[in-house]
Amino acid sequence: MNVRPDGGRTARSVDVLVVGAGPAGLAAAARLAAAGAGRVEVLEREPEPGGVPRLCVHPGFGADPRGRALDGPGSARRAVRAAVRAGAVLRTGVSATGW
Ligand SMILES: Cc1cc2nc3c(=O)[nH]c(=O)nc-3n(C[C@H](O)[C@H](O)[C@H](O)COP(=O)(O)OP(=O)(O)OC[C@H]3O[C@@H](n4cnc5c(N)ncnc54)[C@H](O)[C@@H]3O)c2cc1C
């Protein structure tokens, strides 16, 4: 999977930088990467992507294509897969501290 822990400082150039790999950031990254926006990179300060739903172990996060209810972690995994499949790069353990 294209999810990289990032301990170092490396200069990179991206076309789109998304701050935060929660549902909003992952959805934006998936759509933009799929639309051909170029190199789309998502920074996430936590060690794992997925945002708050990752910690919400209860249903209420929509359903999969077969209509089965998703819990938070399941929903987060789907969002991560969608972003990565679309071509976005996720970097975990990285905080944006300036703009
Ligand atoms: C207790 C609880 C229960 C909930 N239950 C439900 C539910 O049942 N169903 C439902 O649909 N919704 C539920 N929600 C709401 C849902 O979690 C939010 O709507 C959703 O997480 C918002 O997504 P987001 O991407 O905007 O933010 P977040 O999920 O908060 O994701 C933001 C991400 O950005 C990262 N980040 C922030 N600043 C930086 C930075 N400077 N650099 C790098 N990374 C950064 C954070 O670490 C985080 O991973 C619940 C929320 C809570 C708190």
Side-chain angles (χ1 to χ4, degrees), residues 29-95:
R31 293 290 292 271
L32 287 164
R39 184 181 169 86
V40 178
E41 188 163 305
V42 187
L43 304 185
E44 170 53 53
R45 69 182 166 204
E46 296 291 333
E48 299 291 334
V52 169
R54 206 165 52 83
L55 309 171
C56 296
V57 189
H58 56 76
F61 288 86
D64 71 12
R66 293 181 180 176
R68 292 175 298 201
L70 289 170
D71 63 7
S75 158
R77 283 192 296 274
R78 288 179 65 82
V80 169
R81 276 199 302 269
V84 170
R85 277 189 191 144
V89 172
L90 311 189
R91 292 189 177 272
T92 56
V94 183
S95 290

